[in-house]
């Protein structure tokens, strides 16, 4: 296999998977799931982030450099929620504050000309967060995979790799069980961040991005239909279309010699 592809596979899958599994194993061995499990997705993603991007500074030089700090903020805000449940109003306020802060920091260089983008980003961020909190991971998993494909083919290879890192960590974690509040918060800070950075700075396809967001309607729709299992095919459908559009666009550019 091509050495470059092997290196990318190690950075995107092998080491993040190992870190995620280690965090899950510690949780199982200690028998205290609520402490290490919120770290599973965070450990997996930060391992891959360090290998793929490898830059930590404050303030960050590039938009994606904020993501590790978003993860820490999500853990600080929501780990207590896993020990003594917050009131619903408290949870919503914290989600709104973090989503607003995240979108504002990521779009700061563009704010003079992109106020509508900021407002739309906050609304869509909260929508995805509420659905991640409500569901069992179908939309989160498919959206993570779809965003990785869309970023890698129409935006940025690096963002695509980071999307793959998140998808690998999420897959392992939801295989164990439903996400806690803190884990939902970590995932809900990473995925929208990657999608927003891809849209605002890497030029990912608008239609593909919106299709991925629409996948999150699968969880509440399946709940309304009282058939939770339907969340999987409903979430898969728009993501598959988004990935197909992105791949078609990429292949057409390749065949045209661009």
């Amino acid at each position: 296999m091509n050495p470059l592809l092997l290196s990318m596979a190690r950075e995107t899958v092998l080491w993040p998977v190992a870190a995620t599994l280690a965090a899950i194993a510690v949780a199982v061995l200690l028998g205290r799931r609520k402490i290490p499990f919120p770290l599973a997705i965070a450990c997996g993603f930060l391992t891959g982030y360090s290998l793929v991007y490898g830059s930590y500074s404050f303030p960050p030089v590039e938009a994606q450099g904020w993501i590790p700090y978003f993860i820490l903020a999500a853990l600080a805000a929501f780990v207590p929620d896993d020990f003594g449940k917050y009131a619903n109003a408290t949870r919503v306020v914290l989600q709104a504050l973090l989503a607003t802060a995240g979108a504002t920091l990521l779009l700061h260089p563009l704010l003079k000309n992109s106020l509508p983008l900021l407002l739309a980003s906050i609304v869509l961020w909260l929508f995805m967060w509420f659905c991640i909190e409500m569901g069992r991971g179908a939309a989160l998993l498919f959206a993570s995979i779809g965003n990785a494909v869309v970023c890698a083919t129409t935006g940025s290879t690096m963002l695509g790799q980071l999307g793959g890192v998140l998808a690998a960590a999420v897959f392992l974690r939801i295989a164990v069980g439903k996400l806690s509040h803190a884990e939902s918060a970590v995932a809900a800070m990473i995925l929208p961040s990657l999608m927003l950075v891809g849209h605002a700075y890497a030029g990912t396809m608008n239609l593909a991005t919106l299709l991925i967001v629409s996948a999150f309607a699968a969880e509440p729709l399946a709940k309304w239909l009282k058939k939770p299992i339907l969340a999987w095919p409903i979430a898969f459908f728009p993501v598959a279309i988004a990935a197909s559009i992105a791949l078609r666009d990429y292949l057409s550019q390749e065949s045209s010699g661009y």
Side-chain angles (χ1 to χ4, degrees):
M1 183 182 285
N2 187 303
L4 178 59
L5 292 178
L6 278 174
S7 175
M8 291 177 66
R10 286 194 296 267
E11 295 170 351
T12 306
V13 179
L14 180 60
W15 293 117
V17 162
T20 306
L21 282 174
I24 293 173
V26 169
V28 172
L29 289 173
L30 292 179
R32 298 174 65 184
R33 294 187 172 187
K34 289 184 178 179
I35 298 175
F37 267 23
L39 300 180
I41 294 174
C43 285
F45 182 82
L46 289 175
T47 298
Y49 175 93
S50 299
L51 294 169
V52 173
Y53 185 60
S55 177
Y56 291 88
S57 61
F58 191 86
V61 177
E62 296 181 289
Q64 61 267 20
W66 283 108
I67 298 178
Y69 302 106
F70 292 171
I71 292 172
L72 294 177
L75 289 172
F78 284 96
V79 164
D81 195 15
D82 287 344
F83 289 93
K85 287 189 179 297
Y86 292 156
N88 288 335
T90 302
R91 191 175 298 123
V92 170
V93 168
L94 287 173
Q95 290 169 341
L97 288 173
L98 286 177
T100 301
T104 302
L105 289 170
L106 292 178
L107 294 175
H108 181 261
L110 307 176
L111 282 184
K112 289 183 180 179
N113 301 315
S114 296
L115 184 58
L117 175 59
L118 174 63
L119 296 176
S121 299
I122 294 170
V123 170
L124 292 176
W125 197 319
L126 284 172
F127 168 70
M128 287 189 282
W129 195 330
F130 294 157
C131 293
I132 291 170
E133 182 84 26
M134 177 188 301
R136 289 189 171 271
L140 175 61
L141 176 60
F142 290 138
S144 299
I145 296 170
N147 184 62
V149 173
V150 169
C151 285
T153 54
T154 70
S156 160
T157 301
M158 190 242 338
L159 287 175
Q161 279 190 269
L162 291 177
V165 169
L166 176 62
V170 166
F171 173 77
L172 286 174
R173 179 56 192 89
I174 66 172
V176 177
K178 192 176 186 295
L179 301 184
S180 69
H181 297 298
E183 291 172 301
S184 296
V186 169
M189 291 305 290
I190 298 173
L191 179 58
S193 294
L194 293 174
M195 296 177 69
L196 185 54
V197 172
H199 174 78
Y201 300 104
T204 52
M205 298 178 67
N206 293 343
L207 177 58
T209 300
L210 290 174
L211 282 167
I212 290 171
V213 172
S214 73
F216 284 92
E219 305 281 10
L221 180 58
K223 187 173 182 179
W224 179 73
L225 293 171
K226 297 181 180 179
K227 294 184 181 295
I229 193 65
L230 289 180
W232 292 88
I234 294 172
F236 175 78
F237 184 66
V239 172
I241 295 174
S244 299
I245 292 172
L247 285 169
R248 185 189 63 185
D249 185 72
Y250 175 76
L251 293 173
S252 66
Q253 291 183 23
E254 287 286 300
S255 63
S256 300
Y258 289 104

